[in-house]
Amino acid sequence: MISENNISQILEAGGKVIDSDGDKIGSVGQIYLDDHTNNPSWVTVNTGLFGSNESFAPLEGATLEGNDIRVAHQKAKVKDAPNVAPDGHLSEQEEAELYRYYGLANGFGNVEYSNGEHTSGETFTGTAGTTGNFESDRATVGHDTSGPTTDDAMTRSEEQLRVGTQSVETGRARLRKYVVTENVTQTVPVQREEVRIEREPITDANVDAAYDGPAISEEEHEVILHEERPVVAKEAVPVERVRLDKETVTEQQTVSEEVRKEQIDTDDVETTRDGRI
């Protein structure tokens, strides 16, 4: 924990501010003290070209490493924090923005700017860079009836729907090959030989052949007949390639969910003419 006694050491040695990962953010600019506890509350880091800007970093959770301050936030977080010009002042709105930015509880306490020597004439109360009391210029109106009085306003909250997507397994697809038998019918033309008797009359052209043999005799004449018959042969041949692939299809789905939100109503209270209840 960084104490008031470490401030002079840090500023005189020109200490650096390093982030939670050990990376250098910049050099120490200014340190702000809590006026009630005198504990360091904020440190500014010289950033920008030639240290022209100062980014505020909280000292809550920070540690001292030699002459350097190691804050509990990463470099990008600190460098993107609201910054002011050197020797500038924080308005109440800017300080509240810092608390919101770092996710810290609103710490409007008395703080004192320190440059190594504590000057009682520069007391910052509520908002860094302003002087006076923490109390607002106007008095708090009303008080809590459900518990201790906290402030002059009631916070209204509501639930908001955050919808995202999640990838889940819905099924599997696989390829499987199996054998089936089916009948295939094809028509094939076939030829066959048939006997046909041809008769021709005796003419001068064939009379010699007609007398080439006995006048009266018994004879047999034979002709061999042929026919074609279908012959079936089977051959396995590749016909196509089949594979699995995936494609992404986008569709719109409507999500409905109940959310709660707070409503603030005002109960009117009857009063007399002189303002008394």
Side-chain angles (χ1 to χ4, degrees):
M1 177 179 178
I2 300 175
S3 66
E4 181 184 4
N5 298 328
N6 304 129
I7 296 177
S8 298
Q9 169 192 345
I10 296 171
L11 294 177
E12 291 174 0
K16 301 186 296 294
V17 178
I18 57 179
D19 70 355
S20 56
D21 296 329
D23 296 330
K24 177 184 175 181
I25 304 175
S27 58
V28 174
Q30 303 171 3
I31 296 178
Y32 289 82
L33 302 179
D34 187 292
D35 193 40
H36 294 296
T37 63
N38 279 334
N39 291 327
S41 176
W42 294 91
V43 61
T44 61
V45 189
N46 289 327
T47 60
L49 186 61
F50 306 115
S52 57
N53 289 327
E54 293 184 0
S55 296
F56 278 76
L59 291 176
E60 180 178 335
T63 58
L64 187 62
E65 297 184 358
N67 297 321
D68 300 332
I69 299 176
R70 183 167 187 160
V71 296
H73 300 275
Q74 292 185 333
K75 180 177 182 179
K77 182 75 173 178
V78 176
K79 296 195 72 171
D80 291 340
N83 55 68
V84 295
D87 298 327
H89 298 289
L90 280 176
S91 67
E92 181 175 331
Q93 180 180 358
E94 289 172 331
E95 188 175 19
E97 183 181 355
L98 275 172
Y99 283 111
R100 287 194 300 269
Y101 178 78
Y102 284 106
L104 301 175
N106 196 329
F108 285 128
N110 295 335
V111 295
E112 178 181 345
Y113 166 69
S114 174
N115 59 359
E117 298 179 0
H118 308 299
T119 56
S120 59
E122 294 184 19
T123 301
F124 297 84
T125 306
T127 303
T130 61
T131 60
N133 297 325
F134 172 72
E135 298 177 356
S136 174
D137 293 339
R138 68 180 183 86
T140 300
V141 178
H143 64 279
D144 288 346
T145 59
S146 57
T149 298
T150 55
D151 54 29
D152 60 351
M154 180 182 295
T155 301
R156 187 181 70 85
S157 302
E158 67 181 24
E159 295 178 336
Q160 295 183 350
L161 206 59
R162 299 288 187 266
V163 180
T165 59
Q166 178 184 9
S167 179
V168 297
E169 181 176 323
T170 57
R172 297 189 179 187
R174 62 171 55 92
L175 290 177
R176 182 171 61 88
K177 186 170 67 172
Y178 57 94
V179 178
V180 297
T181 302
E182 63 180 3
N183 288 325
V184 177
T185 301
Q186 291 185 356
T187 301
V188 180
V190 294
Q191 295 179 341
R192 72 171 184 273
E193 297 176 341
E194 295 182 348
V195 174
R196 184 178 69 237
I197 298 176
E198 295 182 356
R199 299 173 183 272
E200 60 182 20
I202 301 300
T203 62
D204 293 338
N206 60 12
V207 65
D208 293 335
Y211 284 108
D212 185 19
I216 301 297
S217 64
E218 293 182 1
E219 293 185 13
E220 288 183 3
H221 198 86
E222 183 180 85
V223 175
I224 298 176
L225 303 176
H226 298 85
E227 70 176 8
E228 295 179 338
R229 294 183 180 179
V231 176
V232 177
K234 292 183 288 186
E235 178 186 3
V237 295
V239 292
E240 66 177 349
R241 298 277 292 168
V242 180
R243 65 171 56 88
L244 287 177
D245 196 4
K246 295 190 301 183
E247 63 178 2
T248 300
V249 179
T250 302
E251 62 182 7
Q252 301 294 332
Q253 291 189 357
T254 302
V255 179
S256 298
E257 184 60 58
E258 293 182 351
V259 296
R260 299 176 302 168
K261 63 180 179 180
E262 298 171 341
Q263 299 285 359
I264 299 177
D265 294 331
T266 302
D267 293 333
D268 295 331
V269 180
E270 295 184 359
T271 61
T272 61
R273 292 181 180 273
D274 58 3
R276 295 176 300 171
I277 296 177

